[in-house]
Amino acid sequence: MTAALAVFFTLQARVAVVEANVKILYDDFDKIEIRIEKRLDRIDENLEYLLKSR
């Protein structure tokens, strides 16, 4: 019984670590998505400027 509890708690700890890592990855993806959107907005602004200046 004690060995089973040890395995259970070890697995619980590993699951917690994986959950934390997944949250970090999602946060990183959100930051990357925001950066890409900002760059696309700048590209659109530059294209509009170039088209107007012709």
Side-chain angles (χ1 to χ4, degrees):
M1 181 70 174
T2 304
L5 282 175
V7 169
F8 174 77
F9 287 119
T10 300
L11 290 176
Q12 287 292 98
R14 288 184 180 179
V15 167
V17 168
V18 169
E19 287 174 342
N21 287 334
V22 167
K23 183 183 181 326
I24 290 169
L25 285 174
Y26 276 123
D27 290 346
D28 288 346
F29 286 140
D30 287 343
K31 291 175 188 172
I32 291 169
E33 183 179 16
I34 290 168
R35 286 174 50 196
I36 290 171
E37 288 173 356
K38 286 181 180 177
R39 286 186 183 173
L40 288 174
D41 288 344
R42 275 189 252 138
I43 290 170
D44 285 344
E45 291 170 4
N46 289 337
L47 285 173
E48 285 179 28
Y49 175 78
L50 287 173
L51 288 172
K52 287 179 182 177
S53 65
R54 285 185 157 203

